[in-house]
């Protein structure tokens, strides 16, 4: 009892003699705070120095130029734009065009990458070899070179306007782009859209409950049939009950070009095609590695239960492989979004082309424009990372 008391007293004496400077927690906080202050001070010094130099040159600073008229046209825009539009509208046009390329590219690259990654493990020698050849060729050719190749191929492989290819569904393809029929809705369509949002929410909740019941009870039941039933039936009913009218604007040859519909210029087609093929090759290797990381005993156990090859892949292998696939998959999504800036090399009016290029040359506001552009890519990267981290936490295996 006496020894224990003496040890406790000695311990308190040692703690009392220890300076707070030697406390690991205090030192960690001090170093981090010093680093933050130093970085902020560096940025403040750079900003003040740049402002002083610009003032000495008689050049204005600030963001007031965003309200000025741009004075130039943009070949492709998702929102109305003309020469009288402001630099702020140029900024929005570039953001929307970048988002269009990133969203379409991520979806298509994911599907193609998963398909090729699974094909790399196929028992069919021909399919496995074709997938390997595709991956090795695409991954080892610079992306910029591929974009230029697809751009000039689309300009030379497709026919002139007078000899346009008529594809199924009213689609027309020529050297000036690919034209699609465009649906035009009346004002009552807003009610159909609201019903669609509610139906989608209910369908997702029902699907989640069904999957949880399957996991808990082991009873196999249909998942997608009720999902699409709950989603489609209310939307169709709302469409007919509201009397919504839908008309289609089809591309028609008028003079020397097609009018009507929605046209994707060759620059957009080449950019999306190049980004999808390039990113899908890397995703395919990620998927292959993720599938091979699953213990082969899991596959044997699924086969012993009598599951088909497709069921073994969808219900056993892929769910376990996702914890390995998702983290590097996030990096590929970020790379695709940032690589969309290479569209400037083939003339697609994404953010870097129209804002950092044309707008900067005309306004001369380099610091402001570069800063705003960096803010967009930083925001897109953070949002993508947050979503993928949330999804990764959902698919991660939890030990019980």
């Amino acid at each position: 009892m006496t020894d224990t008391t003496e040890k406790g007293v000695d311990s308190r004496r040692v703690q009392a003699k220890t300076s707070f400077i030697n406390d690991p927690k205090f030192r960690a906080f001090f170093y981090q705070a010093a680093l933050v202050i130093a970085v902020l001070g560096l940025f403040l010094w750079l900003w003040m120095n740049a402002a002083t130099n610009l003032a000495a040159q008689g050049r204005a600073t600030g963001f007031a130029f965003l309200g000025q008229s741009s004075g130039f046209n943009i070949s492709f825009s998702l929102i109305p734009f003309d020469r009288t539009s402001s630099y702020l509208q140029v900024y929005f046009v570039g953001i929307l065009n970048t988002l269009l390329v990133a969203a379409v590219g991520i979806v298509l690259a994911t599907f193609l990458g998963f398909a090729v990654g699974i094909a790399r493990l196929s028992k069919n020698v021909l399919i496995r070899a074709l997938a390997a050849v595709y991956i090795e060729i695409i991954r080892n050719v610079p992306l910029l070179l591929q974009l230029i190749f697809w751009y000039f191929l689309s300009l030379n492989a497709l026919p002139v306007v007078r000899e346009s290819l008529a594809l199924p569904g009213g689609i027309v393809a020529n050297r000036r782009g690919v034209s699609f029929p465009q649906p035009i809705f009346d004002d009552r369509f807003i009610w159909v859209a609201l019903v669609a949002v509610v139906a989608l929410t209910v369908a997702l909740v029902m699907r989640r409950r069904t999957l949880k019941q399957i996991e808990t009870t082991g009873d196999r039941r249909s998942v997608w049939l009720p999902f699409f039933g709950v989603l489609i039936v209310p939307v169709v009913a709302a469409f007919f009950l509201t009397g919504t009218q839908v008309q289609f604007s089809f591309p028609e040859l008028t003079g020397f070009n097609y009018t009507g519909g929605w046209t994707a210029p060759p620059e957009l087609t080449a950019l999306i095609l190049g980004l999808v093929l390039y990113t899908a090759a890397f995703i395919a290797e990620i998927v292959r590695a993720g599938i091979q990381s699953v213990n082969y005993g899991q596959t044997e156990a699924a086969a012993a239960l009598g599951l088909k090859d497709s069921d073994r892949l969808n219900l056993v292998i892929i769910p376990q492989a996702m914890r390995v696939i998702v983290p590097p998959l996030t990096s590929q999504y970020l790379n695709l979004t940032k690589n969309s800036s290479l569209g400037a090399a083939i003339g697609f009016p994404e953010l870097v082309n129209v804002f950092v290029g044309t707008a900067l040359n005309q306004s001369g506001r380099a610091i402001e424009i570069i800063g705003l552009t960096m803010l967009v890519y930083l925001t897109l990267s953070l949002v993508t990372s947050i979503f993928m981290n949330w999804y990764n936490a959902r698919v991660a295996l939890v030990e019980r």
Side-chain angles (χ1 to χ4, degrees):
M1 186 70 174
T2 306
D3 293 340
T4 304
T5 305
E6 291 178 354
K7 289 181 180 180
V9 173
D10 293 340
S11 176
R12 287 193 296 270
R13 288 176 179 175
V14 170
Q15 291 178 0
K17 293 179 180 179
T18 302
S19 174
F20 71 91
I21 298 178
N22 296 324
D23 186 358
K25 293 183 178 180
F26 173 79
R27 285 186 297 175
F29 173 79
F30 175 78
Y31 292 142
Q32 293 176 13
L35 179 61
V36 171
I37 294 174
V39 172
L40 293 177
L42 176 62
F43 276 104
L44 180 61
W45 177 81
L46 291 173
W47 178 262
M48 294 177 63
N49 191 39
T52 302
N53 293 333
L54 290 173
Q57 299 173 14
R59 299 172 61 180
T61 58
F63 297 95
F65 76 98
L66 292 174
Q68 299 175 3
S69 176
S70 60
F72 62 88
N73 281 325
I74 297 179
S75 58
F76 177 81
S77 173
L78 296 176
I79 59 177
F81 187 89
D82 55 32
R83 291 180 179 273
T84 62
S85 299
S86 65
Y87 286 111
L88 184 60
Q89 290 174 287
V90 174
Y91 187 52
F92 290 146
V93 168
I95 293 175
L96 291 177
N97 287 350
T98 298
L99 287 175
L100 174 64
V101 173
V104 176
I106 286 175
V107 173
L108 296 180
T110 302
F111 281 107
L112 180 60
F114 268 80
V116 176
I118 294 173
R120 283 280 281 117
L121 302 173
S122 174
K123 297 178 181 178
N124 189 301
V125 179
L126 179 60
I127 295 177
R128 189 169 64 247
L130 290 175
V133 169
Y134 160 74
I135 291 173
E136 294 304 322
I137 291 177
I138 296 297
R139 286 200 311 169
N140 291 287
V141 177
L143 175 57
L144 180 59
L145 185 61
Q146 293 186 43
L147 295 178
I148 296 174
F149 169 78
W150 292 117
Y151 175 63
F152 283 106
L153 180 65
S154 63
L155 291 180
N156 294 279
L158 293 176
V160 296
V161 175
R162 291 286 184 178
E163 301 174 1
S164 299
L165 293 176
L167 303 176
I171 303 175
V172 177
N174 53 56
R175 294 182 183 178
R176 296 188 179 181
V178 182
S179 299
F180 301 88
Q182 181 180 10
I184 301 175
F185 303 97
D186 59 13
D187 296 337
R188 289 169 290 187
F189 180 74
I190 185 64
W191 299 108
V192 180
L194 291 175
V195 172
V197 171
V198 175
L200 178 61
T201 304
V202 174
L204 290 173
V205 172
M206 290 183 58
R207 179 178 178 274
R208 184 176 180 180
R209 288 184 177 179
T210 303
L211 291 175
K212 192 171 183 179
Q213 290 176 357
I214 293 175
E215 182 181 354
T216 304
T217 63
D219 296 334
R220 186 73 184 276
R221 63 184 67 182
S222 177
V223 176
W224 291 110
L225 184 60
F227 176 84
F228 286 110
V230 173
L231 178 61
I232 295 175
V233 172
V235 174
V236 174
F239 182 84
F240 286 104
L241 290 175
T242 57
T244 302
Q245 299 294 325
V246 181
Q247 297 179 348
F248 284 88
S249 173
F250 289 92
E252 297 180 356
L253 182 61
T254 305
F256 297 99
N257 199 2
Y258 276 85
T259 59
W262 182 82
T263 301
E267 296 84 4
L268 174 62
T269 305
L271 180 58
I272 291 180
L273 183 61
L275 289 175
V276 168
L277 293 177
Y278 184 77
T279 308
F282 289 90
I283 293 178
E285 285 296 275
I286 293 172
V287 172
R288 178 192 61 80
I291 292 176
Q292 289 183 328
S293 69
V294 178
N295 194 316
Y296 190 69
Q298 298 290 322
T299 305
E300 293 178 331
L305 292 174
L307 295 178
K308 299 182 297 183
D309 290 343
S310 59
D311 289 339
R312 288 201 295 268
L313 186 65
N314 296 327
L315 301 177
V316 179
I317 300 175
I318 293 295
Q320 296 184 69
M322 287 303 293
R323 73 185 195 277
V324 178
I325 293 174
V326 172
L329 186 64
T330 304
S331 298
Q332 294 305 317
Y333 288 168
L334 298 178
N335 289 338
L336 188 148
T337 302
K338 291 178 286 189
N339 286 337
S340 64
S341 60
L342 294 175
I346 58 176
F348 179 71
E350 42 74 47
L351 183 61
V352 173
N353 188 0
V354 298
F355 201 57
V356 178
T358 309
L360 190 151
N361 290 333
Q362 292 196 181
S363 65
R365 304 296 182 87
I367 296 178
E368 294 87 343
I369 288 179
I370 295 297
L372 289 173
T373 304
M374 292 173 61
L375 180 62
V376 171
Y377 285 105
L378 176 63
T379 303
L380 293 178
S381 298
L382 291 177
V383 170
T384 304
S385 299
I386 291 172
F387 174 78
M388 294 302 294
N389 289 336
W390 169 79
Y391 181 74
N392 187 38
R394 284 179 57 91
V395 300
L397 294 179
V398 180
E399 295 188 10
R400 299 177 181 178

